[in-house]
Amino acid sequence: MGVTLKDVAKEAGTSVASVSATLHGTRGETIRVGQATRDRIKKAALSLGYVANPIAKSLATGKSRTLGLMLPYVDAFRDENPFCAQVMHGVLEEVVNRHYNLMLYTAASDAPDAQTPLLVDSRVDGIVLVMPEENSAIAAHCDRQGIPYVSVLQRPGPGRWCVNADDYRGGRLAARRLWNLGHRRVAHLTGSMDVATSAPRRDGFCAEMKELGCPVPEFMVVPSGFTHSTGYESMKILLNSPREDWPTGVFAANDQCAEGAMRAIRERKLSIPEDLAVIGYDDTWYAGVTQPPLTSVHMPISEMGSQAVGMLIDRLEGREVTNYQPLLSVHLTIRQSCSPFSPASTPGTPESTALIQ
């Protein structure tokens, strides 16, 4: 049998309650332990080799100091998209800093609602949901069971605790970059519209181009997705149109979508960035290894994960959270996939287009 609180109390010559308050922080409101006694208790625990029993502690406090992290799909651990891995990095970093434990979950989006209670362990104090669906059954279950949660990437709404990036501004940054390089015929490959980031990116891009005097034609906004294959197929749609309708600049839903688009461009024997400029989104490590390296809107993915954990723990521990729907800033990382527009290198492009620096 292991060393118990009673053993430590006997060795230190004090009460079990004082040992518990010193080593576990329990009963902190009613038990006051002097510094000399604390030092004696810690010395006794060290000499006896006392190790706290987390199960016994959770029974005593009603808290497990364990958080759940719910990823949106089963393949999130091995997906080519680094997004989920970067969210996990931020979550784990903050969990360790705040001395909590983490339980990982994945859930298929088509899991029956009846299985939802099985997906969330009752031993977690709270949960971080990554990209929950708009009418997430898991979020509804947490609401019913009183399990606190904070979402990473969810449309803001009344009573929601969620961390997002300023995707609307990200879309505007991409549009402004293409405009400043002289591109006037631009296209956007949109993300899946059931994901909270897609509409703001599209709307920001189109709003900026309209304000600059070059509205994006409807046929230049092509439904796509967040994978290499969707980017490839949607770019082929654009390049199958008459040459005079080809864009000279493309803003993709994310970096994987952009790389797929770049493959379709190369298959048509066009050069990047001389014939077509391409901008991605997320700015993960993936953007630095494409050929050429990809200009991309930087999304603070890891920070979103860590901030969600910080908000959740503050909520659990009763600290005031003044902003429960933070919007983190984005910026543009410039690489080699964009260059100034050159009429001579792009078939079907009016030579009257001017370059604005």
Side-chain angles (χ1 to χ4, degrees), residues 86-311:
Q86 285 196 224
V87 171
M88 280 193 286
H89 176 268
V91 166
L92 286 166
E93 198 168 52
E94 191 66 15
V95 163
V96 170
N97 288 342
R98 302 289 285 264
H99 306 293
Y100 273 69
N101 299 306
L102 188 68
M103 189 175 291
L104 294 176
Y105 303 93
T106 58
S109 60
D110 58 353
D113 288 355
Q115 293 183 9
T116 299
L118 304 177
L119 298 174
V120 181
D121 196 298
S122 60
R123 290 171 295 178
V124 299
D125 295 336
I127 190 164
V128 174
L129 302 179
V130 180
M131 294 191 296
E133 296 180 341
E134 186 61 25
N135 297 307
S136 168
I138 294 170
H141 171 74
C142 290
D143 287 333
R144 287 193 300 269
Q145 298 299 315
I147 301 172
Y149 63 92
V150 176
S151 300
V152 175
L153 298 187
Q154 184 183 30
R155 292 183 182 90
R160 286 182 175 174
W161 291 59
C162 52
V163 181
N164 289 290
D166 194 348
D167 291 299
Y168 184 82
R169 173 168 168 74
R172 295 187 77 109
L173 289 174
R176 175 65 69 166
R177 177 62 180 168
L178 291 173
W179 169 273
N180 284 345
L181 290 172
H183 297 278
R184 299 295 179 267
R185 215 164 52 235
V186 297
H188 176 42
L189 312 182
T190 72
S192 306
M193 284 300 146
D194 57 347
V195 177
T197 61
S198 298
R201 293 176 190 180
R202 176 201 62 198
D203 295 347
F205 183 78
C206 292
E208 183 76 6
M209 291 304 299
K210 185 176 181 179
E211 289 180 17
L212 291 168
C214 289
V216 182
E218 187 174 340
F219 75 91
M220 288 281 205
V221 179
V222 182
S224 186
F226 297 106
T227 67
H228 179 279
S229 60
T230 57
Y232 174 77
E233 294 299 333
S234 54
M235 191 68 222
K236 282 176 64 177
I237 291 173
L238 285 171
L239 294 177
N240 284 335
S241 61
R243 283 199 168 209
E244 59 268 20
D245 292 334
W246 287 2
T248 66
V250 176
F251 171 43
N254 71 345
D255 296 340
Q256 280 67 43
C257 177
E259 208 282 328
M262 292 162 77
R263 181 163 74 92
I265 292 167
R266 286 191 293 268
E267 283 186 358
R268 296 298 292 264
K269 309 301 183 185
L270 299 171
S271 298
I272 306 163
E274 292 81 8
D275 295 323
L276 266 160
V278 181
I279 295 179
Y281 206 105
D282 288 350
D283 192 30
T284 61
W285 62 264
Y286 197 92
V289 299
T290 60
Q291 292 299 322
L294 182 65
T295 292
S296 183
V297 179
H298 180 83
M299 188 184 215
I301 301 170
S302 182
E303 293 89 336
M304 293 170 74
S306 61
Q307 187 153 340
V309 170
M311 288 168 58

Side-chain angles (χ1 to χ4, degrees), residues 47-89:
S47 66
L48 293 173
Y50 172 77
V51 177
N53 184 330
I55 297 176
K57 183 178 178 182
S58 67
L59 289 172
T61 63
K63 300 291 184 182
S64 66
R65 293 190 71 82
T66 299
L67 304 180
L69 173 63
M70 178 68 76
L71 298 172
Y73 42 85
V74 174
D75 287 341
F77 292 108
R78 61 183 180 87
D79 199 353
E80 69 172 14
N81 188 341
F83 177 85
C84 285
Q86 285 196 224
V87 171
M88 280 193 286
H89 176 268

